[in-house]
Amino acid sequence: MSTKLNEFGIEKTLKNLGISTENDGVSCGGKYFASGDLLESYSPNDGQLIATIKTANSSDYAAVIENAKSAFKEFRMIPAPKRGEIVRQFGIKLREYKDDLGKLVSYEMGKSLQEGLGEVQEMIDICDFAVGLSRQLHGYTMHSERPGHRMYEQYHPLGIVGIISAFNFPVAVWSWNTALAWICGNVTVWKPSEKTPLCAIACQNIISQVLKENNLPEGISNMLVGDHRIGEELVNDKNVALVSFTGSTKVGRIVGTNVAQRFGKSILELGGNNAIIITENADLNMSIIGAVFGAVGTAGQRCTSTRRLIIHESVYEDVKNRLVKAYGQLKIGNSLDESNHVGPLIDKDAVKQYQDSIEKCRQQGGKFVVEGGVLSGENYSSGCYVKPCIAEVENSYEIVQHETFAPILYLIKYKTLEEAIALQNGVPQGLSSAIMTQDLREAELFLSQVGSDCGIANVNIGTSGAEIGGAFGGEKETGGGRESGSDVWKYYMRRQTNTINYTDSLPLAQGIKFDL
Ligand code: NAD
């Protein structure tokens, strides 16, 4: 164990989460299928190797699917409220492990400690939501056109739900899916991002404890560490009824096509290109806070990060000057140090993409009012720290149409609200959007059918983050999927319409006669 890990107390955190970093590979509370290549997990905070982990190969995959299939036979027979009880216990365990898990998220992924803890809180919240829902998996009843007949709808579990997740929400996205999938009677197979495997192992350890304490099969919750190859196995496997994929539009396009090819179901949660419209009637203090947090929080690596500000010409210069001042006060550094506002990017590839985007923006005519750059020196030894920057652009620039997963904020000027809405909608993605205004008419136009075309549209709140109670997801190249609250549970079940005839004759529908 390196001294650096000790310095941040990470050694203790890993131990508390049941992760031993001895030899190659880690121990896991549950059955851990990993006989493939080795994978190294580094912290973007300080570049330290945290652990070397064995990954899963094809034979591990096959074993996991067999386990999942057999666990499903048992789990689907347990009444939904009893399955809710398992999720309730999981939520309690998460409360116990919140500090450790939040810290590991912060160290392995690089988001601030507060955001790491917030991510675990989201896991707890979705558990609470799912517990209540486990008593409300309702269908409609309807009147039959035939006398003596009854019609109703019911929902059954799907079977195996595959979850493929991105690095930027290394634990929350899994729990959004699992909490719902489990109460619906499904078993889950998770392929976490290969950039945050330890967070996934920690989660698997926590749920394994709950399953053991309830004498339930471990195959209810499975996890396979690996790269795209394990993801592809899940995507192409007919045994996997639903693939819930969170990641880039580029990969999502392949996943969506391949799952559809085998008539599987998919939930696609892909990239965003989110904008805030700041109107002439906006509260500018609120607007600045919303914009800065949205653009630099998680170092611009949220799917809901604010990437574009569409600002009315009358307040444009004022907003720009305030932003420049706010950016001057940002503290960049180790995400575990709570005095820092901005942590590192996930890895050096992400830094390269940030640099390339800045270069392209300049070439396409962008004018930087806050310059970017990669930070160096003792505090930035991982090479993953970059300066949040701001450029004045046109919405039509190719780079502005593209999601760069880094803290680059684009400023765009507008004259009329109709024009601002067209600019907001004028990108291929459709995840999150917001308007800052104190004018009811402006707010309602933005929310109307000729307003924002995104899955999320906010008034006087930024684009970033969401509560678990609502359905989360976006339109167009964001994939159209929905996760989390509202009636999203229906995605995790198969719908069945039942008609029961309690007479002694067999009338056909639509008055058709068939006499023998
Ligand atoms: P990514 O697309 O590179 O990887 C996502 C996951 O897909 C990883 O687990 C990866 O191993 C796996 N994968 C890669 N190729 C695959 C293949 N061919 N088949 C199956 N799986 C494959 O994304 P990332 O860099 O980890 O995450 C950032 C992206 O995720 C951003 O675009 C961001 O907007 C998006 N994201 C979206 C949401 C949302 O809810 N809309 C949430 C979080 C992140």
Side-chain angles (χ1 to χ4, degrees):
M1 179 66 65
S2 83
T3 48
K4 274 237 171 117
L5 291 188
N6 281 330
E7 190 187 316
F8 298 118
I10 296 298
E11 187 177 10
K12 192 158 165 274
T13 300
L14 291 172
K15 209 167 150 207
N16 292 346
L17 291 166
I19 299 172
S20 125
T21 56
E22 303 301 316
N23 309 319
D24 50 348
V26 296
S27 65
C28 185
K31 253 191 212 148
Y32 186 56
F33 291 83
S35 37
D37 309 336
L38 292 177
L39 172 72
E40 291 177 327
S41 176
Y42 291 89
S43 169
N45 266 321
D46 53 11
Q48 282 291 300
L49 175 67
I50 318 173
T52 306
I53 301 134
K54 273 199 171 169
T55 59
N57 61 19
S58 281
S59 54
D60 297 317
Y61 178 82
V64 158
I65 291 296
E66 281 316 306
N67 267 4
K69 274 188 190 168
S70 112
F72 177 58
K73 285 188 183 148
E74 188 174 332
F75 200 43
R76 67 183 168 182
M77 301 312 290
I78 297 175
K82 295 253 160 34
R83 298 193 294 252
E85 167 58 16
I86 305 303
V87 173
R88 190 186 69 81
Q89 292 177 30
F90 181 47
I92 289 170
K93 279 269 191 279
L94 286 171
R95 285 169 170 88
E96 286 168 27
Y97 286 102
K98 182 175 173 184
D99 287 348
D100 284 315
L101 190 54
K103 190 168 177 182
L104 180 60
V105 167
S106 173
Y107 190 63
E108 193 180 35
M109 184 272 155
K111 65 174 65 176
S112 77
L113 182 59
Q114 277 311 308
E115 289 177 292
L117 294 169
E119 200 178 327
V120 183
Q121 186 57 47
E122 274 187 36
M123 300 175 81
I124 295 167
D125 294 343
I126 192 75
C127 284
D128 289 354
F129 178 86
V131 175
L133 197 59
S134 70
R135 292 181 182 269
Q136 300 175 64
L137 302 176
H138 59 271
Y140 289 118
T141 60
M142 52 287 279
H143 290 260
S144 168
E145 67 185 38
R146 287 166 284 184
H149 283 59
R150 186 165 71 82
M151 279 175 81
Y152 75 103
E153 274 179 356
Q154 59 176 342
Y155 289 83
H156 291 305
L158 287 173
I160 300 177
V161 172
I163 300 155
I164 302 175
S165 58
F167 76 85
N168 66 328
F169 275 93
V171 294
V173 165
W174 169 71
S175 67
W176 294 350
N177 282 284
T178 49
L180 294 196
W182 292 335
I183 58 135
C184 292
N186 304 296
V187 298
T188 54
V189 180
W190 182 21
K191 201 228 62 83
S193 167
E194 60 273 43
K195 295 178 185 175
T196 49
L198 294 169
C199 290
I201 291 168
C203 290
Q204 181 68 5
N205 281 351
I206 297 170
I207 185 62
S208 291
Q209 288 178 36
V210 178
L211 296 176
K212 262 192 204 133
E213 286 162 16
N214 288 277
N215 291 319
L216 285 170
E218 288 178 0
I220 291 169
S221 172
N222 306 275
M223 194 263 304
L224 290 159
V225 171
D227 58 20
H228 64 96
R229 288 168 295 181
I230 288 293
E232 284 161 10
E233 301 247 18
L234 271 174
V235 166
N236 296 320
D237 188 350
K238 279 195 166 182
N239 289 304
V240 181
L242 167 69
V243 175
S244 177
F245 175 83
T246 304
S248 59
T249 295
K250 186 172 159 222
V251 177
R253 201 184 298 277
I254 301 168
V255 169
T257 309
N258 290 344
V259 175
Q261 198 81 30
R262 63 172 175 84
F263 297 106
K265 290 174 191 272
S266 61
I267 297 176
L268 299 176
E269 298 282 347
L270 314 178
N273 191 350
N274 318 297
I276 302 179
I277 297 175
I278 302 179
T279 80
E280 63 208 293
N281 300 305
D283 177 325
L284 291 191
N285 291 332
M286 280 169 65
S287 305
I288 299 298
I289 296 170
V292 176
F293 175 72
V296 311
T298 324
Q301 299 170 109
R302 285 187 181 210
C303 48
T304 53
S305 288
T306 307
R307 313 226 171 265
R308 298 175 296 143
L309 287 186
I310 301 168
I311 311 164
H312 190 262
E313 58 181 0
S314 66
V315 291
Y316 185 87
E317 288 302 317
D318 194 4
V319 169
K320 181 170 84 180
N321 293 336
R322 289 185 194 219
L323 284 169
V324 171
K325 194 166 163 225
Y327 269 51
Q329 291 161 8
L330 291 176
K331 286 177 71 183
I332 306 164
N334 192 317
S335 66
L336 290 173
D337 177 345
E338 291 186 63
S339 66
N340 289 323
H341 302 103
V342 187
L345 290 181
I346 185 69
D347 56 21
K348 287 186 184 156
D349 284 347
V351 173
K352 173 88 179 42
Q353 280 170 28
Y354 158 89
Q355 287 174 304
D356 287 352
S357 293
I358 290 178
E359 192 44 40
K360 279 187 189 154
C361 181
R362 230 185 276 285
Q363 281 167 9
Q364 289 165 23
K367 186 171 151 261
F368 279 83
V369 294
V370 174
E371 291 289 337
V374 181
L375 293 162
S376 57
E378 202 192 339
N379 291 338
Y380 306 117
S381 58
S382 68
C384 296
Y385 290 89
V386 300
K387 286 194 225 164
C389 56
I390 305 177
E392 295 181 286
V393 299
E394 298 291 333
N395 200 54
S396 55
Y397 293 174
E398 185 266 331
I399 193 65
V400 177
Q401 295 282 311
H402 172 86
E403 177 198 46
T404 302
F405 225 47
I408 305 173
L409 180 63
Y410 300 122
L411 307 187
I412 301 155
K413 205 184 278 183
Y414 81 87
K415 281 190 172 65
T416 67
L417 188 55
E418 286 71 16
E419 180 196 354
I421 290 170
L423 289 166
Q424 133 68 36
N425 293 344
V427 290
Q429 310 81 356
L431 181 52
S432 186
S433 60
I435 189 166
M436 302 303 252
T437 180
Q438 298 174 83
D439 182 310
L440 182 69
R441 288 181 182 156
E442 287 184 332
E444 290 293 337
L445 185 69
F446 176 74
L447 298 176
S448 76
Q449 67 276 34
V450 295
S452 165
D453 65 0
C454 290
I456 298 165
N458 297 331
V459 176
N460 292 329
I461 305 176
T463 60
S464 174
E467 292 185 29
I468 58 95
F472 180 86
E475 302 299 331
K476 303 191 292 187
E477 290 193 2
T478 303
R482 292 295 186 275
E483 276 173 355
S484 206
S486 187
D487 63 350
V488 162
W489 61 271
K490 290 179 180 169
Y491 278 86
Y492 298 83
M493 303 200 86
R494 62 186 168 85
R495 181 191 283 229
Q496 188 175 65
T497 304
N498 308 112
T499 311
I500 300 154
N501 174 3
Y502 57 91
T503 69
D504 55 6
S505 65
L506 187 57
L508 301 177
Q510 290 92 40
I512 293 171
K513 296 255 180 296
F514 187 73
D515 293 329
L516 287 176

